[in-house]
Amino acid sequence: RRRDAAADRRLGLRAGGARARVTVRVEYELEPGARVGRHDDDAGYGPTDYRRLGLLADALRPGPSDAFLDLGCGAGRVLCFMSAAGAGRCVGVELDPHALAAARANAAATSARTGRPVEVHEADAAALPAELADAATLVFLYNPFGVATLRDALRALDASRARRPRALTLAYYNPVHRRLLDGQGWLAADERLMDAANIGLWRSRP
């Protein structure tokens, strides 16, 4: 945690305004009675550590032609890291208002520093906007929601391939619903990061 906090400071990541109660270093849970998203299956937020992010960047090798999409981006640490790692565009999707404030502040600071767009959209992954799905080449999620939302997000990504044929790679940290991805005929599993980082990779079939 201390190393990650120091890395956050080096990247200039911080809380997003006085009303935000989450930083990239602090986990949060929804307030009692809160409903988030079409299926109300939000799983809360916890930041991805930098050791795993380094392994993920080595595996994905994001470049200027890549659009990195983080579903349930929390406070935006992964977006900011992947922008610094070379992704041409980084886009986050988030619904919790506290996380949104932090993520947008962090995204703006990172975009100014890297000169590459880093955006955070208030959107439900179960109703993923077509323009975001169609742009993505790399997709990340850290178990942010349940099976129902994940199923809808996968449908949206598959449909986007019909509109804009391209290769897609999905990275899923703590893949508790991996059976759903394994059952997608358009995806093939890649296990290279499971033992070292508990991240499953799935790549679209031609």
Side-chain angles (χ1 to χ4, degrees), residues 57-81:
D58 287 344
L60 297 181
R61 299 189 178 276
S65 63
D66 283 310
F68 183 92
L69 174 63
D70 187 348
L71 299 176
C73 70
R77 176 189 279 176
V78 178
L79 294 175
C80 297
F81 184 91

Side-chain angles (χ1 to χ4, degrees), residues 80-103:
C80 297
F81 184 91
M82 289 300 170
S83 180
R89 179 188 180 195
C90 291
V91 178
V93 169
E94 180 57 60
L95 275 179
D96 184 87
H98 304 290
L100 273 169

Side-chain angles (χ1 to χ4, degrees), residues 48-62 81-82 85 193 197 199:
T48 304
D49 64 85
Y50 283 101
R51 182 188 72 83
R52 284 183 173 84
L53 287 178
L55 292 171
L56 181 61
D58 287 344
L60 297 181
R61 299 189 178 276
F81 184 91
M82 289 300 170
L193 291 181
I199 295 175

Side-chain angles (χ1 to χ4, degrees), residues 42-179:
D42 187 284
Y45 166 68
T48 304
D49 64 85
Y50 283 101
R51 182 188 72 83
R52 284 183 173 84
L53 287 178
L55 292 171
L56 181 61
D58 287 344
L60 297 181
R61 299 189 178 276
S65 63
D66 283 310
F68 183 92
L69 174 63
D70 187 348
L71 299 176
C73 70
R77 176 189 279 176
V78 178
L79 294 175
C80 297
F81 184 91
M82 289 300 170
S83 180
R89 179 188 180 195
C90 291
V91 178
V93 169
E94 180 57 60
L95 275 179
D96 184 87
H98 304 290
L100 273 169
R104 284 174 168 163
N106 289 326
T110 299
S111 184
R113 185 169 57 255
T114 64
R116 294 183 284 273
V118 184
E119 313 156 26
V120 179
H121 295 258
E122 183 175 5
D124 187 349
L128 189 62
E131 63 269 21
L132 301 185
D134 290 356
T137 59
L138 306 172
V139 181
F140 176 81
L141 61 157
Y142 176 6
N143 190 31
F145 35 67
V147 169
T149 297
L150 179 57
R151 182 179 292 113
D152 284 349
L154 290 172
R155 286 172 179 160
L157 291 169
D158 188 21
S160 80
R161 296 168 62 244
R163 294 189 297 266
R164 182 186 165 234
R166 69 204 185 279
L168 267 175
T169 299
L170 279 69
Y172 186 0
Y173 174 24
N174 189 25
V176 297
H177 305 304
R178 66 168 301 153
R179 286 186 179 181

